[in-house]
Amino acid sequence: MRLLVLGGTEFVGRAVVEAALGRGWDVTVFNRGRQASAPGTRSLTGDRTAPGGLDALAEGDWDAVVDTWSAAPRAVHESARLLRGRVRRYVYVSSCSVYTWAPPAGYAEDAPVVEGATPDAGQSDYARDKRGGELAVLDAFGADASVLVRAGLILGPYENVGRLPWWLTRIARGGPVLAPGPSGLPLQYVDVRDLAEWILGAVGRELSGPYNLISPQGHATMGELLEACVRATGSNAELRWTAPEIILDAGIEPWTELPVWVPPGTDMHDALHAADVSRAVAAGLSCRPVGETVADTWHWLTSIGGTAPQRPDRTRKGLDPEVEAKVLAADADGPAPGGVPGTTP
């Protein structure tokens, strides 16, 4: 297989490149050249936001292209139109954010999507930008040669958003840790490497259409995730499971200040952790255990000095230590008995 990856040096793109090389595929990467491309790839340099920035893609043909762009849809539109007729399949890594907020629990690929998106638009907001990217691909390649990968929460090595790296770093410091309950709260996410393998499988099987690409509901729980962080780091951290009401009353923002976590029984939880992924599972999605994702992410994080890269277009994640200490001190109930997950109200 001849694969073109637009980007290919960070998080999702990097995982796709490594998975493709592992299969013995012929991989070309196109990016601005700010970071070194993986050994074994052919590198093309250009800036798709600049005039003439796609010149390096003027020639060549590939079996598939993988595009992870998340800003102005115009960039996807121009790339897709340029590659039309020279690439057999266009895989666009989109997002479950394209669905009209807030989709109900169990929403599938036919759920309503955001309005106001256009394929050649400038940058607006994340949801419309991603939907505009989808429309750009469909406009150039049609429904039969397009794969729209609607990813949800993505975790794993190379993460540059700051969710799992923050939890690992915080737990590695040890001591009492504000653990947002309930510990049995079901999570939905996908390891970036499982995402990459599914994408390559979709190319090989010539799939098309939209797919919700995250683990089945309840693949892991909040307790399992944080306990895995304790094991991976080998720290003396004590998880203080704290009721959602206490966290919210303290003004702590779910998802951002306490990454991954959103309160149970809310529209936000249904939207982020309760999608129907049966279509992706039927098409070969396989998800590794949460302990493996956490341990491998910690190994990667320590191998680069303990500080994860941070995308400049994403907000920093994590809770201020002083806020955490105040909430823990004010929680009259203290930790759950023995710190055992599942005992929090």
Side-chain angles (χ1 to χ4, degrees), residues 59-126:
E59 297 179 355
D61 58 336
W62 295 270
D63 293 299
V65 57
V66 176
D67 189 353
T68 63
W69 187 258
S70 60
R74 180 184 302 126
V76 181
H77 192 239
E78 294 174 356
S79 300
R81 293 181 68 184
L82 178 64
L83 294 169
R84 181 172 51 193
R86 296 187 290 121
V87 174
R88 294 172 56 194
R89 193 160 305 276
Y90 204 114
V91 181
Y92 179 60
V93 181
S94 184
S95 168
C96 286
S97 294
V98 300
Y99 296 112
T100 304
W101 188 265
Y107 64 93
E109 289 83 357
D110 58 355
V113 295
V114 294
E115 298 179 351
T118 56
D120 58 351
Q123 188 169 3
S124 56
D125 60 74
Y126 184 75

Side-chain angles (χ1 to χ4, degrees), residues 27-184:
V27 182
T28 301
V29 296
F30 170 85
N31 53 56
R32 287 171 284 194
R34 295 178 178 176
Q35 299 185 53
S37 299
T41 60
R42 175 189 176 213
S43 296
L44 301 176
T45 304
D47 183 349
R48 58 199 300 190
T49 66
L54 296 175
D55 289 351
L57 292 176
E59 297 179 355
D61 58 336
W62 295 270
D63 293 299
V65 57
V66 176
D67 189 353
T68 63
W69 187 258
S70 60
R74 180 184 302 126
V76 181
H77 192 239
E78 294 174 356
S79 300
R81 293 181 68 184
L82 178 64
L83 294 169
R84 181 172 51 193
R86 296 187 290 121
V87 174
R88 294 172 56 194
R89 193 160 305 276
Y90 204 114
V91 181
Y92 179 60
V93 181
S94 184
S95 168
C96 286
S97 294
V98 300
Y99 296 112
T100 304
W101 188 265
Y107 64 93
E109 289 83 357
D110 58 355
V113 295
V114 294
E115 298 179 351
T118 56
D120 58 351
Q123 188 169 3
S124 56
D125 60 74
Y126 184 75
R128 266 176 281 273
D129 288 345
K130 279 296 191 183
R131 178 55 182 161
E134 291 186 352
L135 294 173
V137 175
L138 292 169
D139 179 63
F141 277 74
D144 292 339
S146 303
V147 185
L148 308 179
V149 182
R150 290 174 177 168
L153 172 62
I154 306 173
L155 302 177
Y158 318 133
E159 188 193 331
N160 57 1
V161 182
R163 296 188 176 104
L164 185 50
W166 181 83
W167 275 116
L168 284 163
T169 302
R170 169 61 194 93
I171 287 175
R173 292 204 312 267
V177 176
L178 179 61
S183 61

Side-chain angles (χ1 to χ4, degrees), residues 205-221:
R205 296 170 62 184
E206 298 186 343
L207 300 182
S208 60
Y211 291 85
N212 291 339
L213 221 295
I214 28 181
S215 64
Q217 297 179 41
H219 174 69
T221 65

Side-chain angles (χ1 to χ4, degrees), residues 306-330:
T307 301
Q310 176 68 45
R311 283 184 58 158
D313 59 342
R314 296 289 186 270
T315 58
R316 288 194 172 273
K317 309 297 187 292
L319 185 63
D320 183 281
E322 292 185 4
V323 174
E324 179 185 29
K326 288 180 181 178
V327 174
L328 288 173

